[in-house]
């Protein structure tokens, strides 16, 4: 196989050299600036003789379709130049053999609501309780005996079901894009999607956790050997 692939969601990072320097001086996490850990792991794999591979590093930048022109050209010239500038500053261009722009439909096209499990950066949220039972309430006087809480619960469950389907569709589309490009891929590196806990409701966290784990299964289904890397914390995690 020819490639060690590093997939980067361009919208998740600023690619700012100034921010990189400021965070380095202050010894703060730099994951929102540039996915350095992904490239470090890819580089280690590419030079490790134990793996006995001649695969080279390929960076695939996932860019929203509305930011791409003909021939998948990245229309955001400023951010494009910032990306190449930070790659050069970090001396990564010597071992990155190929950089490719891959258009992707943005999340807004999947009609995610603001509080519907994910935010615009791709972080999972815990703000719904799909299986919560309605609170005790007196009959509101309707002939069928239904309370307002009954109707609200049904409505919320329906909304959550739709939202879960949209999230599954989003990750299926990402998975299809990666698989289409992976015929000659030896190994794949991806950033682990973020997950935000709801501090005040463990039941919500359980429900959201299940959706999150199902989404990871969809994301990695049928891919070459894949590492999901979590960078934005004091101790990096690779799974």
């Amino acid at each position: 196989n020819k490639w060690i692939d590093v997939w980067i969601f361009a919208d998740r990072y600023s690619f700012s050299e100034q921010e990189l320097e400021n965070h380095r001086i202050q010894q703060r996490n730099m994951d929102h600036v540039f996915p350095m850990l992904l490239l470090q792991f890819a580089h280690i794999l590419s030079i490790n003789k134990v793996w006995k591979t001649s695969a080279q590093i390929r960076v695939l930048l996932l860019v929203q379709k509305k930011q791409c022109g003909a021939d998948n050209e990245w229309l955001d010239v400023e951010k494009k130049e910032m990306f190449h500038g930070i790659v050069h500053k970090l001396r990564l261009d010597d071992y990155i053999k190929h950089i490719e722009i891959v258009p992707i439909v943005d999340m807004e096209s999947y009609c995610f609501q603001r509080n519907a499990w994910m935010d615009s950066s791709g972080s999972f949220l815990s703000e719904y309780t799909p299986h919560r039972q309605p609170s005790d309430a007196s009959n509101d006087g309707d002939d069928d005996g239904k309370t307002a809480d009954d109707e609200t619960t049904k409505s919320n469950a329906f909304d959550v079901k739709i939202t879960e389907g949209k999230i599954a569709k989003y990750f299926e589309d990402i998975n299809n894009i990666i698989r289409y490009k992976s015929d000659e891929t030896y190994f794949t590196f991806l950033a682990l999607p973020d997950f935000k806990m709801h501090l005040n409701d463990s039941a919500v966290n359980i429900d959201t956790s299940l959706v999150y784990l199902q989404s990871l299964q969809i994301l990695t289904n049928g891919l070459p050997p894949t590492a999901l890397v979590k960078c934005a914390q004091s101790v990096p995690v690779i799974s």
Side-chain angles (χ1 to χ4, degrees):
N1 289 334
K2 185 176 181 180
W3 300 114
I4 296 171
D5 286 339
V6 179
W7 289 84
I8 298 175
F9 289 81
D11 280 353
R12 293 187 61 174
Y13 307 98
S14 68
F15 304 133
S16 168
E17 293 184 36
Q18 184 61 54
E19 287 187 47
L20 186 72
E21 183 63 19
N22 292 341
H23 282 62
R24 184 190 66 80
I25 293 173
Q26 299 170 16
Q27 296 183 338
R28 293 165 56 192
N29 188 281
M30 299 180 290
D31 187 54
H32 73 283
V33 180
F34 188 81
M36 188 63 190
L37 191 59
L38 288 176
L39 273 300
Q40 288 175 333
F41 280 134
H43 180 55
I44 291 170
L45 182 57
S46 70
I47 63 175
N48 192 330
K49 302 302 181 184
V50 175
W51 290 83
K52 297 180 180 179
T53 176
S54 58
Q56 298 177 312
I57 295 175
R58 176 175 64 168
V59 172
L60 300 109
L61 281 164
L62 288 161
V63 178
Q64 291 186 22
K65 281 186 176 180
K66 62 185 179 183
Q67 298 176 3
C68 295
D71 300 323
N72 295 342
E73 177 186 4
W74 196 357
L75 298 179
D76 191 338
V77 177
E78 181 181 3
K79 193 162 187 179
K80 177 182 177 181
E81 291 177 349
M82 291 173 68
F83 170 77
H84 287 285
I86 201 169
V87 165
H88 179 72
K89 181 179 180 63
L90 295 171
R91 301 177 181 177
L92 302 175
D93 40 8
D94 289 339
Y95 67 85
I96 295 176
K97 299 303 179 183
H98 181 70
I99 297 174
E100 183 176 342
I101 304 298
V102 181
I104 180 177
V105 177
D106 62 285
M107 281 189 179
E108 294 175 359
S109 299
Y110 294 83
C111 302
F112 288 116
Q113 298 177 5
R114 181 176 178 274
N115 293 326
W117 297 100
M118 299 178 76
D119 63 18
S120 59
S121 68
S123 298
F124 277 74
L125 305 172
S126 297
E127 301 201 11
Y128 275 119
T129 312
H131 308 302
R132 177 176 293 167
Q133 297 299 318
S135 59
D136 292 333
S138 59
N139 192 302
D140 61 2
D142 291 343
D143 292 339
D144 58 7
K146 294 180 180 179
T147 67
D149 279 344
D150 290 331
E151 297 301 325
T152 300
T153 300
K154 289 182 179 180
S155 176
N156 286 345
F158 181 71
D159 290 342
V160 168
K161 190 69 174 178
I162 293 176
T163 301
E164 291 177 5
K166 291 173 182 175
I167 292 174
K169 180 64 167 61
Y170 172 77
F171 282 103
E172 284 173 4
D173 289 350
I174 298 294
N175 173 270
N176 289 334
I177 290 171
I178 296 175
R179 281 197 297 168
Y180 179 75
K181 293 284 186 179
S182 297
D183 286 345
E184 298 181 300
T185 299
Y186 176 72
F187 203 93
T188 298
F189 287 96
L190 281 165
L192 184 69
D194 292 332
F195 180 77
K196 298 178 182 178
M197 300 295 287
H198 191 293
L199 299 179
N200 300 320
D201 199 324
S202 59
V204 175
N205 288 331
I206 292 173
D207 293 329
T208 314
S209 298
L210 292 174
V211 176
Y212 180 74
L213 293 174
Q214 291 167 0
S215 298
L216 295 184
Q217 289 180 321
I218 294 170
L219 176 62
T220 57
N221 181 43
L223 298 185
T226 299
L228 299 174
V229 182
K230 177 67 173 176
C231 310
Q233 53 193 43
S234 57
V235 180
V237 174
I238 184 169
S239 175

